[in-house]
Amino acid sequence: MALQIYNTMSRSKEVFVPQEPGKVKMYVCGPTVYGYMHIGNARPIIVFDMVRNYLEALGNEVRYLTNFTDVDDKMIRKAEEMNITVAEVADMFIAAYQEDLAGLGVKPATMNPRVTDSMDTIIGFIKELEEKGYAYENGGDVYYRTGKFSNYGKLSGQNLEELRFGIRVEVDSRKENQEDFVLWKAAKPGEVHWSSPWGEGRPGWHIECSAMVREYLGKTIDIHGGGEDLKFPHHECECAQTEALTGQPLSNYWMHNAFLNIGDEKMSKSLGNGLLVKDISARFKQGAIRYFMLSSHYRNPLNFTEEALQSAEKSVDRIALAEGNVKHRLELGKEEAAGEASPQITERLAAILGSFHARMQDDFNTPDAITAVFDWVSLANLTLADNHALNADLTALLKAFAEMNSVLRLTAEAEEEVASEEVERLIAERAEARKNKNWSRSDAIRDELNALGILLEDTPQGMRWRRK
Ligand code: AMP
Ligand code: ZN
């Protein structure tokens, strides 16, 4: 089996081969931090987290970078609106972003470079472009000379002629050609600014990613990702900037996720209000949001509905219940000798993991990989129905589940473990109350647990609890 990735650049699936065996350099364009993340923004975040997890599960060491755009027009407007500085806006929404990420079960990036911390790197990059004739200054602005870069348009599959025809914006007399794009903007009076060889100003949007990639990851990376709206112009411009300087590809593989829509409308920041990640995270389990995002292939459009999330939550509950029951049974029988798993279970689990990996290796086909998780649920429930299930079988079941869940993260183990200490304490207290025939205390504890979202169940193995 070999991992295949659909490469936007070649418009085909290719076998994934990192430049250095066992090491993957990956960059995903990050947010402009002027507002709370909406549920559409969560799609690339969860998709590329899954990609990273899978690469790690295959034994790779992944360097995963995602930037923070902490200065641009929208940031400046937001600062004016809130009557605080641009830096304060950035700090506020970066903190909120990190909280959202934790709520989505997404691992922090290896590094989150900020534009305002990378000014020297960005200015140095533009200077080199100017020295090589790929950039020109006009009135304190600096533009990229697209006409000099013969590959402009290769990622989005357009040539310069088509682009010229497509441009309908008002003619900007400061540009040599209308498809040229800005690398550095002269500061308007009163705006935040940095000193540069072209006067006071700030970077254009596209340049930061090229500059950060080269500074922190090197000339060519293995995977570059982002939403499909970034293909053009953002990623096209990144390619033009980097390749003009290095003569090498910016990235060997380009991955783009399709959009999350609401009804037939594309989500945007303005539409997104009310559908913020922080609000949705408060109402639905982390695993449910991840399940919803991963139950569709990342290159297919996905429709957001309340019902889809509710049904995702039911599905993850089934998975978590089976996982919890296996763990519980293993806990009860922990005195027994471990031994070897039975051939039947070993064989079934190998088949389940085999199909999980085959699907994941086919360009991260998570919807089909999730069916392997449900095959596991069936096998787990079948095994649990046997009161004499072997400890070794239960252990093998859990190990297989962990292998799949380390990638998809549909059940939030850490969160449950912390909560379970309190729950176990209450259950023990309730058992004590019942022993002493203190029924009112016993009922009060049941209500308390109910308020915590915990249901008690009598099982042949004793009292069990589960989340509602
Ligand atoms: P933004 O901050 O809106 O520029 O977007 C940050 C990231 O989220 C980019 O990778 C976008 O492509 C992605 N994105 C924004 N809206 C959506 C959406 N509705 N569905 C999927 N990805 C989106
Ligand atoms: Zn970028």
Side-chain angles (χ1 to χ4, degrees):
M1 265 193 293
L3 175 61
Q4 301 230 345
I5 297 183
Y6 181 88
N7 190 348
T8 309
M9 189 63 87
S10 66
R11 289 156 192 80
S12 62
K13 283 185 201 168
E14 294 174 22
V15 172
F16 177 68
V17 186
Q19 297 166 88
E20 203 182 323
K23 298 218 162 121
V24 178
K25 294 177 182 176
M26 187 168 168
Y27 184 93
V28 177
C29 299
T32 306
V33 282
Y34 73 104
Y36 293 106
M37 195 196 297
H38 63 65
I39 192 69
N41 299 133
R43 189 168 192 199
I45 288 170
I46 292 175
V47 161
F48 291 108
D49 177 63
M50 169 277 292
V51 168
R52 172 203 192 168
N53 292 341
Y54 194 63
L55 290 165
E56 285 177 350
L58 294 180
N60 295 290
E61 189 188 304
V62 182
R63 255 180 87 68
Y64 183 97
L65 249 75
T66 180
N67 61 311
F68 286 134
T69 305
D70 61 351
V71 59
D72 84 333
D73 288 342
K74 289 170 288 198
M75 296 283 305
I76 292 171
R77 249 182 283 132
K78 188 75 182 180
E80 279 166 7
E81 209 180 286
M82 294 180 75
N83 204 19
I84 54 177
T85 63
V86 170
E88 283 165 338
V89 172
D91 286 345
M92 176 177 165
F93 290 110
I94 286 174
Y97 169 90
Q98 278 157 343
E99 229 172 272
D100 281 346
L101 242 57
L104 294 170
V106 169
K107 274 193 277 189
T110 315
M111 203 182 163
N112 287 111
R114 293 187 188 201
V115 171
T116 56
D117 289 336
S118 312
M119 247 355 131
D120 291 347
T121 306
I122 293 172
I123 292 170
F125 201 106
I126 302 174
K127 253 182 94 189
E128 278 184 63
L129 282 173
E130 193 181 30
E131 281 157 15
K132 287 201 162 187
Y134 285 99
Y136 58 94
E137 188 254 354
N138 193 348
D141 290 338
V142 182
Y143 296 96
Y144 185 92
R145 188 172 274 131
T146 43
K148 190 173 161 69
F149 183 69
S150 57
N151 276 331
Y152 193 71
K154 71 171 174 178
L155 178 67
S156 53
Q158 314 173 75
N159 61 36
L160 214 46
E161 281 308 308
E162 286 164 335
L163 286 170
R164 273 190 194 130
F165 188 71
I167 289 176
R168 283 187 204 155
V169 287
E170 271 172 49
V171 172
D172 183 341
S173 61
R174 288 166 301 180
K175 294 181 181 179
E176 286 176 3
N177 284 302
Q178 291 312 301
E179 53 290 338
D180 294 351
F181 56 89
V182 71
L183 298 167
W184 185 264
K185 290 182 186 188
K188 296 197 186 95
E191 271 182 8
V192 276
H193 53 83
W194 286 261
S195 297
S196 79
W198 316 282
E200 296 298 314
R202 61 190 162 88
W205 172 35
H206 312 304
I207 192 69
E208 65 193 66
C209 296
S210 288
M212 288 169 180
V213 165
R214 192 175 64 155
E215 175 79 8
Y216 304 114
L217 293 174
K219 281 186 184 161
T220 301
I221 54 174
D222 298 299
I223 299 176
H224 195 315
E228 66 183 3
D229 58 321
L230 299 186
K231 230 185 275 177
F232 185 85
H234 184 56
H235 288 163
E236 198 71 73
C237 296
E238 285 186 28
C239 282
Q241 292 161 161
T242 298
E243 295 179 20
L245 275 200
T246 65
Q248 290 180 20
L250 166 55
S251 180
N252 285 338
Y253 300 82
W254 287 84
M255 293 181 68
H256 292 98
N257 65 274
F259 255 50
L260 179 99
N261 302 320
I262 303 216
D264 285 330
E265 281 195 80
K266 281 198 169 181
M267 276 215 63
S268 66
K269 279 234 162 88
S270 52
L271 242 181
N273 290 334
L275 285 173
L276 301 177
V277 168
K278 68 186 176 73
D279 298 333
I280 293 176
S281 283
R283 291 196 296 122
F284 292 97
K285 285 180 196 142
Q286 176 183 105
I289 303 173
R290 293 184 68 96
Y291 184 102
F292 163 70
M293 292 290 182
L294 299 174
S295 60
S296 176
H297 190 265
Y298 75 90
R299 285 190 289 115
N300 286 337
L302 175 61
N303 209 14
F304 177 90
T305 62
E306 199 65 26
E307 296 73 43
L309 267 180
Q310 283 160 359
S311 116
E313 190 146 285
K314 286 208 183 94
S315 301
V316 288
D317 280 349
R318 271 183 61 203
I319 300 168
L321 185 62
E323 182 199 14
N325 284 340
V326 176
K327 279 189 178 160
H328 181 65
R329 180 77 73 86
L330 203 52
E331 184 64 22
L332 287 174
K334 65 182 167 202
E335 307 304 327
E336 289 167 29
E340 287 221 349
S342 63
Q344 298 92 307
I345 290 281
T346 309
E347 201 179 296
R348 288 288 321 268
L349 286 177
I352 289 171
L353 288 178
S355 84
F356 175 81
H357 287 290
R359 286 147 176 185
M360 288 301 291
Q361 304 217 344
D362 181 13
D363 191 31
F364 308 100
N365 184 348
T366 51
D368 284 352
I370 287 174
T371 61
V373 177
F374 279 107
D375 290 342
W376 178 89
V377 170
S378 306
L379 182 61
N381 289 338
L382 204 73
T383 310
L384 287 166
D386 175 1
N387 278 334
H388 305 290
L390 295 176
N391 261 6
D393 283 356
L394 299 169
T395 307
L397 273 164
L398 281 184
K399 189 162 166 272
F401 180 77
E403 188 170 328
M404 297 186 283
N405 203 40
S406 71
V407 178
L408 307 174
R409 302 181 76 167
L410 301 177
T411 63
E413 289 173 51
E415 208 180 64
E416 295 222 349
E417 269 159 26
V418 174
S420 68
E421 277 178 31
E422 172 68 359
V423 172
E424 299 292 356
R425 189 188 62 73
L426 285 168
I427 289 176
E429 198 189 325
R430 184 167 171 274
E432 188 63 26
R434 287 171 73 83
K435 216 168 82 191
N436 299 331
K437 301 199 168 23
N438 184 348
W439 308 119
S440 63
R441 179 66 192 134
S442 158
D443 287 348
I445 293 174
R446 181 179 278 273
D447 291 346
E448 210 175 311
L449 286 165
N450 199 33
L452 288 173
I454 304 296
L455 280 183
L456 296 179
E457 282 174 350
D458 263 317
T459 74
Q461 291 85 30
M463 188 59 76
R464 277 280 283 126
W465 63 269
R466 67 177 174 93
R467 283 170 199 284
K468 281 194 267 188

